[in-house]
Amino acid sequence: MSVEENDLPLLSNIKTVRARHYVWCAHPVFASRSVAGQVIIVFSSPTACELSCNTCAQCKCQSRATSESDGLSNCCTLLDYEYCEGELKIPVVLDVKDLVIKSVSSVACSLQDLEKYLDPGSVKNDPTVSNKLFYCERDQIEFEVEPWSIKFECSKKLPFAIYIEYHTTETSASLSWRNEKNNPCFFTSGTAINNRSLLPCQDAPSALATWEAFISIDSAFHVSMSGDEPGMEVDLHCSALAVNQQHQNTSFNSSERCLYFYSSLPLPLATLAIAAGVWLVENVIIPSSLQMRFSKEEKMLYSFKETFNAAGVEPVSSKKKCTHEVLCCHSRYPCLIKKKIKLECELQNCAEDTYSAHGFSEYPSIGCKLPPVCNNSHFQDNACETWSSVRMIPSTLVYPASLGDQLQPLREFLPHCLFAAGELLGPHPCPRLEVIVMPPSFASLGLASPNLVFLAPCVAAAGDSSTFLRIAHEISHAWFGIIIGAVDWTEEWLSEGFATFTEELIYERASVSYKEILLKRKNEHPELKTQNGLHEILRGSCENNVLATCPSSESNDNMGSRETIYCENKLNVCGASNDLGDNSTEQTLITEDNGDTPVIEERNLVSTSNILRDDGVQKDVAPQLLIALDHTKVSRVSFSPSPKRQKINESFVFSAAATDFCCKFSSWEKMVLSMDESIRKELLAIRDYLRYKKLTQEIQVTDESLQTLLPSSENSAESGKYVVNGLQKDKPFLNVHYIKGFFFLKYLCGQVGELNFIKFLKKFVLNFHGLLITSKNFIEYFCAEFPELSACKSELVLEWLQSPGVNEQLKNMNDAASMETCLSEAHCAFWTKLTSRKPVKDYERSLKEIGHLYYPERIQLFLEYLLEYNGHLTKQTMLAIEQLYDLEHQNSDVRHGWCELIIKHNYRPASRSVEKFLAGDQAMGIYLYGELMISGAQFWQALAKRMYQILKDNMEENTKINICEMLYPV
């Protein structure tokens, strides 16, 4: 296959006309898996900047921007093309793929009607105004449809509006339709062709536009879209969709409704995203204590807020102007970053003036008493209510009903990620965040769009670092990939590399923040600190049931008192019910004498779920109910080390109506509580090593053209011809740009120091938000900020950006000998050197002496070491490993490694684990199909083909093509 066949054509003539605004009407039809669509596109002439270089970041017109013009310099004004109607026709070329175009018409509207769509500073969010465009008279235009474009000519003078009526087809790859477990849904799948088979558009990275959308759909469906606000319901019969129905003499279904969305941020149409399904929707609650984690100045402001609310005091009015004015360099649009920074500075100045007026020598701490002053309603009403919006944005969780109980870790951690991202990178550039948990066949682990994040269910429900790192990664894309984009889509490291680097920084800060909240919860319940207090809570939470208890026969000054609770019947782990039989769950509570957080030692092999819900239990159920199992009956209680078990008079159900506290003792929160600085550093080193392993493995089987971060752009997006390797079918499954970009940024961070590099990142965002950039822009800005490294600029570009493979600096950064992984290695050595068969309990005792792996990163590394082992592991050894590390209930990364080990050692009794992984973790399943076929064993190859036949109808097209080629090579 030639290089040209792998390239994505960019055929829209953006140097002649620019699409500034889209008004899109869509009616999804599930029966035919298609969308009936109409779109009105408002065109204008390009600006001088757009003609010369596509982006202000390249022509450096930002140096001429002023705060008064909001960054709009002279070269960003529209050119006045004097096209006379009837004398010269303006050619228009739009990018399309697999669309059936019914008609193209020019819209007979006045210049006054169009001017509001050409002003980037105004927000187009009035459905009644845009609706009128569909009622204007229209003149038919002849058009020509080609495989990758639609062409027509317009004789009207710029600006003008074009109406296109069309419908999608079943082969339209931009949309994915699913009906898994009788739960129909559809969503934009982020494919290589972007949204070309969703609506006609200018699909070039520099073709920035705003949009509005009217979506007509059955009222049973929830619709999520990448607009500034959630969908607003409008009158269906008065909407733009009604016009087409009138023309076709048809009527709407009585159960249908129309939702209106809009976007005020000019972005490529590739960033538009939509999803609809029969899902539950809930607002994510921001913990009140999270808003107390401010800097020195912010603490002072919070203290004023509390004091003003309590005593009705008033700060002295301030006449001082904000000294932190942001000079935006982008073209004029409603900039949320500028607005939030300005608000933050105004609030801080007001607080500083109030504070200094009363003679304080340093900022007060939270909760300190301040002298009374007059009442200032503006500060109290405005500052107090809006302060949290400077750092936080409202967030929503959308998910299938079957997953609700498995998402508590995501619910609780999401606000911390958002807050940490704001601390690290500055105000969030989007007004809200909606996280949608997709069906199992979703082809990606995560996908970010403005205001939306799609998550694979295997990630959303994992409830450990894999969930938290992925959501941190997708949140990072709001800055790197959305508000700061790449001129050339071949330089995707500018979004993926940056997001991979900042995900670690966000995760680190969010983990610390979350741990503080957990410790605060403990301090709010002093009854936890004694064994008797725990028993009282247990008694009080179970009506008409008496818990028989006895004191521990032994005590230890370091360990405190002990007690063990046994659970039987059904155990819910990540949504899967498992019959445990006699294999009861044993957990030991250690209530430390010094009053620290109680620690749960797990004495068995099965981890427990974390959320309990039973409306029959009192609302004041406390977090001290150790075992969080959905409708799990507890029938025995005993105290270690005594082997005796005493029964409760009646079986009862532990429940957690107070969900704010119950999951405190869940496995994922115990991990957060147990992580100190040394453990966090160790786990970070393991993740870096695993990234490096993945990078080196991919490079061995990847073409060199896909290994460079800065490929030749002679004929790519910058020249407006095509995106190099844009249609390469393997590219969506490669991680080179993610990982190599991550290590490049980590290398730069190591050269200047982490604190300096974090400050640089925030400054970089402030200077380049709203712009499209190149790798050259980033390197030049970095060297300008750190002139001592300017001499290395050419070397940096050559070694890191233009060269394939792994360079020496990257190899030195990931020297395996420098990584402290002795615990995972020791576990691997234990199993590979095993010579005799023993009972599982004997293995458990031996491993306990080595030390528990506990964290998923350690277990994943342990499996990596086992995969490198060239010897053979027996069935008995494999069974013991599966049970002792509870591999069936680990996250998808760990289970993928376990499935690889199953295939390598031909452990057929665990073939069900492979089948479950292929069905439930389809975002990662494609890699496992290759392992199954490479094994050469007929058993595993037959399993791969059988699972493919079961799952293929719900697979994304490119995934299906890749797997089919693995299974049935020509």
Side-chain angles (χ1 to χ4, degrees):
M1 183 179 286
S2 66
V3 174
E4 288 74 15
E5 290 176 308
N6 284 331
D7 297 336
L8 176 66
L10 298 174
L11 302 179
S12 53
N13 57 337
I14 59 176
K15 297 290 186 179
T16 304
V17 291
R18 287 276 176 151
R20 301 297 179 187
H21 189 75
Y22 296 78
V23 184
W24 180 45
C25 298
H27 178 57
V29 182
F30 281 89
S32 59
R33 293 196 167 191
S34 65
V35 172
Q38 311 154 62
V39 62
I40 290 180
I41 309 175
V42 179
F43 291 92
S44 77
S45 58
T47 66
C49 175
E50 291 168 341
L51 283 175
S52 61
C53 57
N54 294 326
T55 169
C56 294
Q58 288 179 284
C59 75
K60 301 187 185 301
C61 69
Q62 65 263 30
S63 61
R64 300 193 295 276
T66 64
S67 59
E68 287 76 15
S69 65
D70 286 328
L72 184 63
S73 60
N74 292 332
C75 75
C76 293
T77 57
L78 299 179
L79 297 180
D80 187 14
Y81 283 170
E82 294 297 336
Y83 288 114
C84 298
E85 188 172 349
E87 295 182 6
L88 183 62
K89 291 185 177 182
I90 303 174
V92 179
V93 182
L94 298 176
D95 297 300
V96 299
K97 183 64 176 174
D98 296 329
L99 291 180
V100 176
I101 308 296
K102 292 184 176 181
S103 67
V104 178
S105 309
S106 62
V107 180
C109 54
S110 66
L111 178 62
Q112 185 179 3
D113 292 331
L114 297 180
E115 280 180 341
K116 55 179 162 290
Y117 298 108
L118 303 178
D119 179 10
S122 67
V123 179
K124 298 85 173 172
N125 61 351
D126 189 343
T128 59
V129 173
S130 299
N131 190 43
K132 293 178 182 178
L133 289 176
F134 289 87
Y135 289 89
C136 295
E137 293 185 3
R138 299 193 288 262
D139 298 324
Q140 292 283 335
I141 297 176
E142 293 185 359
F143 61 92
E144 179 184 358
V145 178
E146 296 182 350
W148 287 100
S149 66
I150 176 175
K151 299 179 180 179
F152 53 88
E153 293 181 335
C154 184
S155 58
K156 287 187 173 292
K157 181 180 178 180
L158 282 167
F160 54 72
I162 296 295
Y163 169 89
I164 302 176
E165 184 180 355
Y166 68 97
H167 66 80
T168 67
T169 65
E170 284 196 61
T171 59
S172 299
S174 298
L175 272 181
S176 295
W177 302 81
R178 300 288 185 267
N179 190 10
E180 302 174 41
K181 299 180 180 179
N182 294 319
N183 189 359
C185 67
F186 75 90
F187 51 88
T188 47
S189 46
T191 58
I193 65 169
N194 300 319
N195 287 321
R196 299 177 186 210
S197 61
L198 181 63
L199 76 164
C201 59
Q202 290 184 338
D203 188 30
S206 60
L208 310 182
T210 54
W211 55 263
E212 297 169 89
F214 296 86
I215 310 298
S216 169
I217 197 167
D218 190 281
S219 56
F221 288 86
H222 170 78
V223 181
S224 299
M225 201 167 181
S226 53
D228 289 8
E229 297 180 10
M232 178 179 71
E233 190 163 350
V234 297
D235 188 348
L236 186 61
H237 297 281
C238 297
S239 68
L241 289 158
V243 180
N244 191 46
Q245 297 287 63
Q246 293 170 8
H247 289 170
Q248 297 180 5
N249 296 319
T250 58
S251 60
F252 292 107
N253 190 304
S254 59
S255 63
E256 289 184 4
R257 61 174 178 160
C258 182
L259 296 173
Y260 170 78
F261 300 85
Y262 73 92
S263 173
S264 62
L265 184 61
L267 289 170
L269 255 288
T271 62
L272 182 148
I274 184 173
V278 183
W279 297 323
L280 299 181
V281 182
E282 66 176 75
N283 294 324
V284 176
I285 299 174
I286 301 173
S288 58
S289 53
L290 179 61
Q291 300 180 30
M292 297 173 65
R293 294 189 62 254
F294 297 146
S295 63
K296 190 177 181 182
E297 295 83 357
E298 295 165 342
K299 285 181 180 180
M300 177 274 306
L301 178 62
Y302 190 84
S303 297
F304 271 113
K305 172 185 173 181
E306 291 298 296
T307 307
F308 293 162
N309 289 342
V313 296
E314 174 188 9
V316 177
S317 61
S318 172
K319 296 182 180 180
K320 185 170 75 173
K321 295 183 69 175
C322 176
T323 58
H324 301 85
E325 181 72 21
V326 178
L327 300 180
C328 293
C329 305
H330 52 72
S331 60
R332 189 160 59 92
Y333 66 80
C335 180
L336 197 56
I337 286 182
K338 178 175 181 177
K339 178 181 178 181
K340 286 188 174 183
I341 291 179
K342 185 177 181 180
L343 172 61
E344 182 174 343
C345 292
E346 287 175 352
L347 297 178
Q348 179 134 339
N349 285 336
C350 183
E352 287 174 355
D353 288 349
T354 307
Y355 182 70
S356 60
H358 291 89
F360 289 95
S361 58
E362 61 181 67
Y363 291 120
S365 60
I366 294 176
C368 74
K369 293 184 178 180
L370 299 177
V373 286
C374 335
N375 183 25
N376 184 321
S377 59
H378 173 74
F379 182 81
Q380 181 176 346
D381 296 338
N382 184 39
C384 300
E385 276 74 17
T386 59
W387 179 256
S388 63
S389 66
V390 174
R391 294 295 188 205
M392 299 292 295
I393 56 174
S395 51
T396 306
L397 195 57
V398 181
Y399 54 89
S402 59
L403 287 177
D405 289 342
Q406 303 172 45
L407 302 178
Q408 188 65 13
L410 179 60
R411 281 187 190 95
E412 296 208 6
F413 205 78
L414 179 58
H416 297 271
C417 277
L418 285 169
F419 195 88
E423 286 185 321
L424 181 71
L425 301 171
H428 202 288
C430 299
R432 66 186 182 97
L433 178 65
E434 193 168 337
V435 179
I436 302 101
V437 182
M438 309 305 286
S441 58
F442 185 57
S444 303
L445 292 173
L447 184 64
S449 303
N451 305 296
L452 290 188
V453 165
F454 294 168
L455 282 184
C458 62
V459 172
D464 59 20
S465 57
S466 65
T467 298
F468 307 146
L469 283 164
R470 174 53 58 176
I471 192 64
H473 179 98
E474 302 306 335
I475 288 173
S476 300
H477 275 309
W479 288 269
F480 304 110
I482 294 176
I483 200 65
I484 300 177
V487 174
D488 187 343
W489 280 333
T490 58
E491 297 181 65
E492 60 188 289
W493 82 273
L494 289 169
S495 59
E496 298 299 351
F498 273 80
T500 306
F501 179 79
T502 53
E503 77 180 39
E504 289 286 359
L505 299 174
I506 293 172
Y507 170 66
E508 169 75 13
R509 284 156 177 75
S511 297
V512 173
S513 167
Y514 187 55
K515 184 175 180 178
E516 290 176 5
I517 293 238
L518 295 180
L519 292 174
K520 183 173 181 291
R521 288 178 182 173
K522 177 264 300 184
N523 293 330
E524 290 175 348
H525 291 268
E527 65 271 24
L528 260 181
K529 298 178 181 179
T530 64
Q531 185 179 14
N532 291 334
L534 172 65
H535 295 162
E536 290 300 324
I537 292 166
L538 291 174
R539 288 192 190 96
S541 64
C542 308
E543 297 179 351
N544 302 319
N545 291 289
V546 178
L547 177 64
T549 62
C550 65
S552 174
S553 59
E554 295 181 10
S555 63
N556 184 292
D557 291 338
N558 295 327
M559 298 301 291
S561 56
R562 289 175 175 264
E563 65 179 321
T564 304
I565 295 179
Y566 290 84
C567 300
E568 26 179 56
N569 299 330
K570 285 187 178 290
L571 175 66
N572 187 300
V573 182
C574 294
S577 296
N578 302 280
D579 290 315
L580 297 179
D582 294 332
N583 296 325
S584 302
T585 300
E586 177 182 336
Q587 293 185 322
T588 301
L589 173 75
I590 304 170
T591 308
E592 299 191 10
D593 294 335
N594 59 10
D596 289 341
T597 305
V599 180
I600 296 177
E601 282 188 353
E602 298 205 292
R603 302 288 298 278
N604 70 324
L605 311 179
V606 185
S607 62
T608 62
S609 180
N610 56 336
I611 299 304
L612 284 169
R613 293 181 180 175
D614 188 340
D615 295 336
V617 179
Q618 297 175 0
K619 291 292 184 181
D620 58 349
V621 175
Q624 300 77 10
L625 302 183
L626 310 179
I627 305 167
L629 306 174
D630 286 339
H631 309 291
T632 299
K633 292 187 177 180
V634 178
S635 61
R636 292 174 294 179
V637 175
S638 71
F639 298 86
S640 60
S642 172
K644 296 180 180 180
R645 299 177 177 177
Q646 297 188 354
K647 293 185 178 181
I648 302 176
N649 291 349
E650 295 180 27
S651 296
F652 60 92
V653 179
F654 274 138
S655 181
T659 56
D660 283 344
F661 304 104
C662 72
C663 51
K664 174 178 179 179
F665 293 94
S666 65
S667 58
W668 55 277
E669 290 187 310
K670 284 187 290 177
M671 288 184 188
V672 175
L673 282 168
S674 65
M675 282 192 293
D676 56 22
E677 186 67 21
S678 62
I679 291 177
R680 282 196 293 269
K681 287 183 178 179
E682 177 202 343
L683 300 182
L684 173 60
I686 292 176
R687 290 194 294 270
D688 285 354
Y689 176 74
L690 293 172
R691 288 187 181 106
Y692 179 71
K693 287 280 294 182
K694 181 181 287 187
L695 177 63
T696 54
Q697 291 168 357
E698 280 194 3
I699 283 177
Q700 293 174 3
V701 296
T702 304
D703 187 86
E704 283 194 357
S705 63
L706 297 173
Q707 298 177 21
T708 55
L709 302 184
L710 182 58
S712 173
S713 57
E714 181 180 351
N715 291 311
S716 64
E718 222 172 325
S719 63
K721 294 182 180 179
Y722 50 82
V723 180
V724 177
N725 286 319
L727 297 177
Q728 223 284 345
K729 59 182 178 59
D730 297 329
K731 192 174 181 181
F733 309 106
L734 299 178
N735 293 278
V736 173
H737 286 262
Y738 294 71
I739 302 175
K740 202 171 180 181
F742 163 81
F743 281 119
F744 177 40
L745 294 173
K746 187 165 185 177
Y747 173 78
L748 295 179
C749 180
Q751 296 298 303
V752 301
E754 182 174 309
L755 183 59
N756 290 330
F757 194 74
I758 289 174
K759 291 179 179 178
F760 162 76
L761 278 181
K762 185 173 288 189
K763 190 173 181 181
F764 177 75
V765 169
L766 287 178
N767 277 272
F768 288 93
H769 72 274
L771 300 179
L772 301 175
I773 66 170
T774 64
S775 299
K776 181 181 178 182
N777 295 140
F778 169 74
I779 294 294
E780 288 181 348
Y781 189 76
F782 176 81
C783 291
E785 290 294 309
F786 303 101
E788 65 274 16
L789 296 176
S790 297
C792 306
K793 181 165 67 173
S794 299
E795 182 181 348
L796 289 174
V797 173
L798 178 62
E799 292 292 328
W800 284 96
L801 301 181
Q802 295 179 336
S803 300
V806 177
N807 59 40
E808 288 300 319
Q809 295 98 324
L810 207 163
K811 290 178 182 177
N812 295 334
M813 290 170 63
N814 293 276
D815 182 6
S818 65
M819 187 179 64
E820 298 179 2
T821 59
C822 27
L823 193 57
S824 296
E825 275 189 297
H827 277 251
C828 177
F830 173 83
W831 294 107
T832 55
K833 295 177 181 179
L834 203 61
T835 56
S836 59
R837 186 184 306 176
K838 299 179 181 179
V840 171
K841 287 187 176 180
D842 291 343
Y843 294 145
E844 185 179 6
R845 294 191 197 99
S846 300
L847 290 173
K848 191 172 183 179
E849 295 175 2
I850 299 174
H852 291 297
L853 293 183
Y854 192 53
Y855 302 99
E857 288 90 344
R858 288 177 178 171
I859 300 175
Q860 189 179 353
L861 182 62
F862 158 67
L863 293 174
E864 282 290 327
Y865 287 146
L866 282 181
L867 287 168
E868 295 173 358
Y869 173 59
N870 293 324
H872 179 69
L873 299 178
T874 64
K875 290 182 179 180
Q876 291 75 20
T877 299
M878 292 287 287
L879 176 61
I881 291 173
E882 178 183 11
Q883 292 180 344
L884 285 168
Y885 299 96
D886 190 25
L887 295 178
E888 277 294 292
H889 304 120
Q890 299 292 339
N891 67 36
S892 54
D893 292 316
V894 174
R895 284 185 287 108
H896 183 270
W898 169 234
C899 288
E900 286 186 287
L901 201 66
I902 291 171
I903 298 166
K904 179 177 179 179
H905 294 282
N906 197 26
Y907 181 48
R908 297 186 183 184
S911 61
R912 177 62 180 157
S913 298
V914 178
E915 293 176 349
K916 287 173 61 178
F917 188 88
L918 292 175
D921 301 75
Q922 294 185 41
M924 297 181 66
I926 185 171
Y927 307 104
L928 205 57
Y929 281 100
E931 298 293 333
L932 289 165
M933 299 306 294
I934 292 172
S935 70
Q938 186 176 357
F939 175 84
W940 297 114
Q941 291 179 346
L943 183 149
K945 293 177 181 179
R946 182 174 68 254
M947 292 304 297
Y948 171 73
Q949 293 299 325
I950 294 172
L951 301 171
K952 67 177 182 179
D953 289 342
N954 281 320
M955 284 184 179
E956 188 264 326
E957 189 63 29
N958 191 48
T959 303
K960 188 189 300 184
I961 291 172
N962 276 272
I963 295 176
C964 187
E965 290 183 0
M966 293 180 197
L967 304 184
Y968 308 102
V970 178

